[in-house]
Amino acid sequence: MNLRRDVFQAIADPTRRAILLLVASQSMTAGAIAANFDTARPTVSKHLQILTECELLKQEQTGREVYYQLNATKMKEVADFIEPFRAMWEDRFNKLETIMKNYKK
Amino acid sequence: MEKKTKINAEDGRQELTITRDFDLPVELLFRAYAEAEIVEQWMGTKVLKLESKKHGSYQFVTTDPKGNQYGFNGAIHEYIPNQKITRTFEMEGTSYGVQLEFYEFERITDDTSKLKMHVVYDSVMHRDQILQLPFAQGINMAHNRIQDIVNKLK
């Protein structure tokens, strides 16, 4: 559960979400990513490190450059994160609806 | 299939909203929250006490398949039939704290209605933990199922 919690915290930060959106369209180097932000380069590097550690980003070596790309599998897990909670309520409300239809008559 | 129940839980906030449209007149939707014997049916819990009025309180106890009991309780602060309930909610014996719940019941047509639940937790951490509960339980259930299968192989 700890790892998942880290992922949740990772996407809670607006800069990190912006980075994920940025690399969603194409793989980018750290320099190219940093160029999109006003924040200092080391700060962006730190964000990239966190995103890589919790596997939301993958690194790929191309020649001398390291490119960051989105780890789609991991991102899907995050998107599904809230789904069990939603499904639990959906289930309860479906039950409520079915039961109350009997009171209608 | 369209998802009827919608959850809005923004990052870093200690609240969330749950909305749902029902094929029920608003009066019937409200009764599902107001009458003990109906609450028992759809919540799958035993209602020890439910005083549906301002200054009222409630107490539920749920028993899981293993026989473990879980208590829930809260106080009702606002009670406007077919419109609104404001109440607190607490899971006894847990560290999640007390949450504040605002229920808004809205008539859409004679036969349809909408429920909006606005839940405020005492911290972002507690909200996130509660959001993760069904997920964690799902993992445990899957794990138990694997364990059952493995045991049968022995």
Side-chain angles (χ1 to χ4, degrees):
Chain A
M1 285 310 289
N2 271 339
L3 181 69
R4 183 154 297 269
R5 176 131 199 94
D6 291 344
V7 171
F8 205 57
Q9 277 164 352
I11 59 165
D13 181 274
T15 307
R16 289 199 284 273
R17 284 204 302 274
I19 292 174
L20 291 173
L21 279 176
L22 206 56
V23 297
S25 50
Q26 61 179 110
S27 320
M28 295 170 88
T29 62
I33 294 168
N36 286 275
F37 297 94
D38 291 333
T39 29
R41 174 76 193 261
T43 313
V44 173
S45 298
K46 186 78 196 158
H47 285 312
L48 289 174
Q49 192 194 327
I50 292 168
L51 289 169
T52 308
E53 276 170 9
C54 61
E55 297 172 29
L56 287 168
L57 286 183
K58 285 190 289 196
Q59 287 176 324
E60 204 179 352
Q61 184 93 34
T62 307
R64 284 171 53 201
E65 301 277 16
V66 174
Y67 283 83
Y68 287 88
Q69 64 179 70
L70 204 63
N71 183 353
T73 320
K74 201 76 187 175
M75 281 305 289
K76 190 181 177 307
E77 279 180 38
V78 176
D80 289 344
F81 189 85
I82 220 167
E83 182 55 24
F85 183 81
R86 199 198 63 77
M88 177 188 80
W89 279 100
E90 181 98 306
D91 202 45
R92 275 188 197 161
F93 289 145
N94 287 344
K95 226 176 196 174
L96 184 160
E97 197 168 59
T98 309
I99 289 166
M100 294 321 285
K101 276 182 178 165
N102 294 327
Y103 284 82
K104 221 171 177 174
K105 294 150 199 164
Chain B
M1 205 181 90
E2 190 209 350
K3 290 174 178 175
K4 286 182 169 177
T5 305
K6 295 185 177 72
I7 309 271
N8 182 21
E10 285 175 36
D11 295 336
R13 302 197 59 160
Q14 64 197 81
E15 64 187 329
L16 56 83
T17 56
I18 304 173
T19 49
R20 159 86 184 213
D21 290 350
F22 290 90
D23 282 328
L24 295 168
V26 70
E27 293 79 12
L28 277 184
L29 174 61
F30 191 82
R31 275 181 70 190
Y33 281 87
E35 295 179 23
E37 63 156 78
I38 303 177
V39 171
E40 286 194 331
Q41 292 179 57
W42 72 270
M43 288 280 291
T45 191
K46 187 162 172 48
V47 176
L48 301 179
K49 180 166 91 170
L50 177 58
E51 300 165 328
S52 293
K53 60 180 184 186
K54 188 177 168 70
H55 303 305
S57 67
Y58 66 92
Q59 207 182 342
F60 305 156
V61 62
T62 302
T63 309
D64 73 11
K66 286 178 182 165
N68 301 313
Q69 294 200 320
Y70 304 94
F72 306 90
N73 74 82
I76 295 161
H77 289 251
E78 195 177 8
Y79 187 85
I80 308 168
N82 305 326
Q83 287 180 43
K84 198 175 178 191
I85 296 173
T86 303
R87 69 179 198 186
T88 54
F89 174 92
E90 180 185 15
M91 271 189 251
E92 294 164 15
T94 69
S95 59
Y96 301 122
V98 176
Q99 64 197 50
L100 180 58
E101 303 179 334
F102 301 92
Y103 292 84
E104 283 175 41
F105 301 84
E106 192 189 319
R107 177 193 176 276
I108 299 174
T109 67
D110 283 351
D111 292 313
T112 57
S113 52
K114 184 192 278 293
L115 172 68
K116 186 181 164 202
M117 266 176 87
H118 177 200
V119 187
V120 184
Y121 301 86
D122 72 350
S123 68
V124 176
M125 188 187 76
H126 281 156
R127 186 204 68 169
D128 290 350
Q129 282 175 349
I130 284 174
L131 273 174
Q132 286 174 53
L133 265 184
F135 183 85
Q137 283 161 355
I139 287 183
N140 286 339
M141 276 165 61
H143 187 260
N144 290 343
R145 223 172 295 145
I146 291 165
Q147 194 65 49
D148 285 347
I149 294 165
V150 170
N151 287 345
K152 277 175 195 158
L153 292 177
K154 279 179 186 166

